[in-house]
Amino acid sequence: MYRIKFIALCSLLTFSSIVLGQDEETGNSDNLEQKIQNPVADLISLPFQNNIDFGVGPDNRTRNTLNIQPVLPFKINENFNLITRTIVPVISQPVGSSNSEFGLGDVNLSLFLTSAKPKKTIIGYGLALGLPTATDPVLGTGKWSAGPSVVVLVQPKGLTVGGLVQNTWSYAGASDRPDVNFFYSQVFVVKNLSNGWYVNSAPIITANWEASSGNQWTVPIGAGAGKLFRAGKLPINAQLGYYYNVVTPDFGPESQLRIQVVLLFPK
């Protein structure tokens, strides 16, 4: 518990020092501002997203998940790009009333085929893969899984509105572990402000179809803010958000603090 609180405090202090301590001109273009809000943009990036879930389990404990999420675009031809998004979770999971398990969770890989030419409506068609890489059974599913994924968004001047939807099913893995039938979606709305600042809402809505009735859905509401700036010549996108779960399974988390720092590598 103390380690989680220390991580949360350090994350908040780091975020505050990053976004509030930047007085120099950001030097970023509208094009870069739009790209950081587009999950299938042709932009190399390295996000570090730390999620702190409060009120987990019957003892109302805290879970910490650091998602390392490299994004790599590949040009297939003049018409299409392939965008790869990998999520490598490092988890501190509460076990019982006082113990915890720390280690690597299941890696998730998403592949999106998108148009290489600018369009008013941006669509990415893809495949989501779940890999059983967890270092302990409580940190993962023990199953290989796969399923379709799609992302759709529009970016009128100063605004991004869109969503991502996917569902994965297990097809191999440990026979003594439950099957995977998991729905994942994220709706995102971003409003750009001046000097690289923006406000956003990006709740992650999920459903575990293998769970009992009344314990399938997790539905949060919340919002956050962020800033695009430069550390020397390196563009960095930092954001902070808080989400409260209006629907959650029994012993599921009550709320989440989301802190993210993204290193950007534009062409």
Side-chain angles (χ1 to χ4, degrees):
M1 173 66 73
Y2 292 107
R3 178 169 61 180
I4 298 297
K5 290 182 177 179
F6 177 75
I7 292 173
L9 178 60
C10 290
S11 299
L12 282 169
L13 290 175
T14 300
F15 179 87
S16 299
S17 65
I18 287 174
V19 301
L20 297 180
Q22 294 295 320
D23 295 326
E24 60 187 62
E25 184 179 344
T26 60
N28 46 283
S29 65
D30 290 341
N31 185 48
L32 185 55
E33 288 183 348
Q34 286 187 316
K35 282 189 173 183
I36 65 171
Q37 295 153 12
N38 176 2
V40 290
D42 60 340
L43 174 66
I44 298 174
S45 64
L46 181 58
F48 296 88
Q49 184 186 92
N50 198 71
N51 299 317
I52 305 172
D53 295 307
F54 303 100
V56 176
D59 298 297
N60 291 318
R61 298 188 61 194
T62 302
R63 176 177 61 215
N64 193 88
T65 305
L66 172 63
N67 289 325
I68 304 169
Q69 306 177 140
V71 179
L72 296 173
F74 297 93
K75 185 177 181 64
I76 297 177
N77 54 39
E78 293 182 356
N79 296 316
F80 295 102
N81 291 329
L82 177 67
I83 312 298
T84 68
R85 300 179 62 87
T86 306
I87 301 177
V88 181
V90 180
I91 306 170
S92 179
Q93 171 71 38
V95 179
S97 60
S98 59
N99 295 326
S100 63
E101 186 66 40
F102 178 79
L104 179 67
D106 288 346
V107 170
N108 292 278
L109 172 64
S110 295
L111 308 172
F112 290 100
L113 186 67
T114 67
S115 174
K117 299 179 180 180
K119 294 182 180 294
K120 289 185 178 181
T121 301
I122 300 168
I123 304 177
Y125 301 98
L127 175 67
L129 301 170
L131 315 179
T133 55
T135 54
D136 188 273
V138 302
L139 303 178
T141 64
K143 296 284 191 178
W144 296 84
S145 60
S149 183
V150 62
V151 59
V152 180
L153 66 141
V154 293
Q155 293 187 302
K157 183 66 174 179
L159 187 68
T160 297
V161 180
L164 181 151
V165 177
Q166 66 185 41
N167 202 99
T168 54
W169 295 265
S170 56
Y171 61 89
S175 59
D176 60 341
R177 301 293 299 275
D179 291 335
V180 171
N181 184 357
F182 190 72
F183 171 81
Y184 175 100
S185 66
Q186 184 173 30
V187 178
F188 46 91
V189 179
V190 187
K191 173 60 178 176
N192 288 328
L193 306 175
S194 59
N195 298 320
W197 286 93
Y198 60 87
V199 292
N200 73 330
S201 181
I204 297 173
I205 302 169
T206 63
N208 177 8
W209 302 120
E210 295 293 324
S212 60
S213 178
N215 287 286
Q216 295 176 334
W217 288 93
T218 299
V219 181
I221 58 171
K227 181 175 174 61
L228 173 64
F229 62 93
R230 291 180 184 270
K233 294 184 178 181
L234 179 67
I236 298 177
N237 175 30
Q239 63 176 260
L240 174 69
Y242 181 79
Y243 294 87
Y244 178 79
N245 292 326
V246 294
V247 178
T248 188
D250 293 342
F251 307 130
E254 294 178 354
S255 61
Q256 181 183 90
L257 178 65
R258 186 184 305 167
I259 304 161
Q260 181 167 281
V261 176
V262 186
L263 309 182
L264 306 168
F265 305 93
K267 297 177 182 179

